[in-house]
Amino acid sequence: MRRAVCPGSFDPITNGHLDIIARASRLYDEVYVAVMINKAKQGLFTIEERIALIEQVTSEFGNVRVEAFHGLLVDFCKQRDIPAIVKGLRAVSDFDYELQMAQMNNGLSGVETLFVPTNPTYSFLSSSLVKEVAQWGGDVSHLVPEPVLRSLREKLGRG
Ligand SMILES: O=C(O)c1ccc2[nH]nc(Br)c2c1
Ligand SMILES: O=C(O)c1ccc2[nH]nc(Br)c2c1
């Protein structure tokens, strides 16, 4: 059983994230989406809301499991026998940090990181930008899945 993990905060999941997860789900038998619990940062969506939204929009793939985690990603991987991390790369600016993390994770545990070039349509996309635009009433309907759009509108009363 070939497993991979797509880690992130997913606050909330965007079409860019969903594209990476969809492509990973076609490459691996089982894909874990690991939602990072970050006590230091109060997100717009709770961990439970993020997990529910991800489960809703990935259920059609049939091989995606969504779980919260805190601490080291390599420990999450070790506990579930996951040898590969799959991450999207939007631009060269992502690469510096991602390379450092990949080398650290591989050094710590042997877990490999595979990079998927994002669909150019989503190169500019991030959760924080979506939240920023939505809270000022901008149209993000083409940037997030429908259930996320509904939740954003409920939370922000706009967008
Ligand atoms: O949600 C995040 O924080 C986040 C960050 C970086 C990311 N790379 N690939 C994916 Br999917 C991804 C998700
Ligand atoms: O949403 C973000 O913050 C974020 C960051 C970095 C990312 N790389 N690839 C993807 Br998809 C991605 C998403």
Side-chain angles (χ1 to χ4, degrees):
M1 171 80 85
R2 301 182 65 74
R3 295 188 181 89
V5 61
C6 292
S9 47
F10 302 104
D11 181 35
I13 185 169
T14 68
N15 286 345
H17 296 141
L18 190 55
D19 179 55
I20 299 299
I21 295 166
R23 290 156 72 181
S25 81
R26 291 193 286 270
L27 291 174
Y28 291 88
D29 300 318
E30 195 168 46
V31 173
Y32 284 78
V33 177
V35 183
M36 220 174 314
I37 298 169
N38 181 347
K39 292 257 185 290
K41 240 171 95 185
Q42 174 66 24
L44 178 65
F45 293 90
T46 66
I47 291 292
E48 293 75 18
E49 287 170 337
R50 297 180 211 178
I51 289 173
L53 284 168
I54 300 167
E55 284 174 338
Q56 204 176 338
V57 300
T58 60
S59 59
E60 63 186 291
F61 303 145
N63 65 337
V64 174
R65 300 174 67 162
V66 189
E67 293 184 17
F69 91 98
H70 57 89
L72 287 175
L73 179 60
V74 290
D75 291 337
F76 180 93
C77 293
K78 216 176 296 172
Q79 289 151 15
R80 293 162 184 78
D81 194 18
I82 300 172
I85 298 163
V86 172
K87 299 207 77 177
L89 275 186
R90 298 168 302 180
V92 171
S93 50
D94 278 340
F95 187 65
D96 240 356
Y97 174 74
E98 294 295 351
L99 178 65
Q100 195 182 15
M101 296 289 288
Q103 289 170 330
M104 172 61 80
N105 286 332
N106 188 254
L108 283 173
S109 66
V111 173
E112 296 290 4
T113 300
L114 291 304
F115 294 114
V116 177
T118 51
N119 180 323
T121 319
Y122 305 126
S123 287
F124 64 94
L125 197 47
S126 70
S127 300
S128 42
L129 189 56
V130 162
K131 289 180 284 190
E132 179 87 20
V133 170
Q135 78 181 22
W136 296 110
D139 176 11
V140 296
S141 56
H142 55 301
L143 303 176
V144 296
E146 181 58 35
V148 174
L149 183 65
R150 279 198 301 275
S151 300
L152 271 172
R153 284 178 172 158
E154 275 160 34
K155 272 195 183 287
L156 300 173
R158 313 173 59 149

